Amino acid sequence: MKWIFLLLLSLLAVWPGAVAQDDEEAAPQTSAREILTDLILENGEQDTNLELLSEHGDAIIQEVVAAWRIGKIQIATNGESRTALIERDDALYELLTDAPFAGNPENVEKSRPSRALRKELSRLVDVIDLVSPDLNIRADAALKLGSSQSLDYLPALKANLPKQKNSKTREAFEEGIWISLLANGSTAEKISSLEGLTDDPSVYARSFIEKLVTELEGDTSDDAELLRKKAGEALVATTKHEKTIENLGTLFRGLSTGSVLLIVAYGLAITFGLMGIINMAHGEFIAIGAYTVFVVQTFFAERFGVGTAAYESYFLWAIPAAFLTAAFFGALLEIGVIRFLYKRPLESLLATWGVSMLIRQGLRMQFGSANVMVDAPQWLSGNVTVGDVTMPYARLFVIGFAVVVVFITWFILRRTKVGLHIRATMQNRQMASSLGIPAKRVNLFTFAFGSGLAGLAGAFLSQIGNVGPEMGQIYIVDSFMVVVIGGVGNLLGAAVSSMGIGMFDQGLQPILGPVLGKVLVLFAIILFLQWRPGGLFPSRSRSLDD
């Protein structure tokens, strides 16, 4: 429970986008374009302009400095009026407004900075990301410049540290300064840095601490002994921190794996657990959902173009499309095959196995036997780092959506009239029919709903894995294990068992490797079922109670 609490607390603190905006400082009143224009036109004091420019982190500064070096900054003169221009793709643009230059090209001449100014601008560009409006870029720059251990960057790091009011960026600046001082500081500063890295350990700083210990070999002075002692304490703290990070990473991977298993297995928990149908085509409904995402993505790419705002929303449309498409084919399967095989488990197993082969071959004929590429939208790309634990946005989304799937399924089955009819029909079809419940319609809806959940699983798997005709086969065995361990017909059991298997699997893999870890998980499942054949939450009936 402690690790779950820590992870949830961390997610709240650094949810994607939480540190993307800089609300800690007021923006400089003079824009970077205005300052660059004054610098090029030699308006005002050069040192003053450079000082003002150092407060900006705009990308235009790097562009202008690079262009100025190669003679692509020019000045247009019209009487007493002068305009700074930048050349892009053989066209001239006004630097101040970024508008195309409409003046006379004959009145334009190149601007060349002095050697001293070029040197100052080069130094400015090196540290410009330290004042970037994006706090993530700013934090990365602080660590990058600090890890270079160059004395040239240390003043800029120290000067910008007091301006950092965001805790994450402040920690990055402090760590960068400590790492730099390990190579450039006095003995007192090195001791202070090591104490800082002991109180606030970082995996990133380990190599620099070890480098300092190596440099101290053979030095028998009192200062060296004290530095070795402090370095040892910092390494011990770093090792403990690494263990914590490893545990948090295992927890996240377990939650992620368990969420994928949960979404994959929940449809099977309905068709197999509640209806008693051994649907060997469940994996193919997963593939149908994944290919639906591919079709929707292709449509949006052709209709709106890749990279447009409309294209970035394709996955939001693909989610319901995957559910409805898989549910439609599930309804066809129930009407054409399953309807005649209730209470006949062996025949239903063989029939759905044959259907699974037909679906796979149909997918190969339509899309080819090779895997197809499904690109994640920008808002699902990348990752967020919490305490050195890297968490992909796509897997965070899967975890969140797994919770939504559980809630919606529970609500439908427990709080709606349709759910009441489903539970009644699954317990006793003949009795439900005699009470006026349309059993055939309920069976159709239930099987289609379970198949639609499998399609949802395929939609999410398309964002974190390959999409191919065989993709569902990877999860079919795990899905049955989740349902059986949780207790056949118990959706809460399926949720608990999926998370348990995910945690157990990810906890063992770093120790035993993926193959042996998987074998041990299967062995543990066999032993568990020997102890509790009915699973975590076994089904109960009056005959058992009597």
Side-chain angles (χ1 to χ4, degrees), residues 477-496:
V477 175
D478 290 338
S479 301
F480 275 106
M481 287 194 305
V482 166
V483 174
V484 172
I485 291 173
V488 176
N490 193 300
L491 297 180
L492 174 61
V496 173

Side-chain angles (χ1 to χ4, degrees), residues 109-152:
E109 61 179 358
K110 290 185 178 182
S111 171
R112 297 190 181 278
S114 65
R115 179 176 298 180
L117 180 57
R118 286 200 302 269
K119 183 177 180 181
E120 288 296 323
L121 289 172
S122 178
R123 183 195 61 79
L124 182 65
V125 168
D126 288 341
V127 299
I128 195 171
D129 285 340
L130 293 179
V131 291
S132 170
D134 190 316
L135 298 185
N136 292 319
I137 294 176
R138 192 185 301 184
D140 290 341
L143 287 175
K144 179 181 178 181
L145 295 177
S147 63
S148 71
Q149 294 189 321
S150 172
L151 188 59
D152 295 337

Side-chain angles (χ1 to χ4, degrees), residues 304-323:
F304 303 105
V306 177
T308 62
Y311 175 81
E312 290 300 319
S313 68
Y314 87 85
F315 190 61
L316 297 178
W317 296 93
I319 291 174
F323 177 86

Side-chain angles (χ1 to χ4, degrees), residues 448-462:
F449 183 70
S451 302
L453 290 180
L456 276 182
F460 292 113
L461 288 172
S462 71

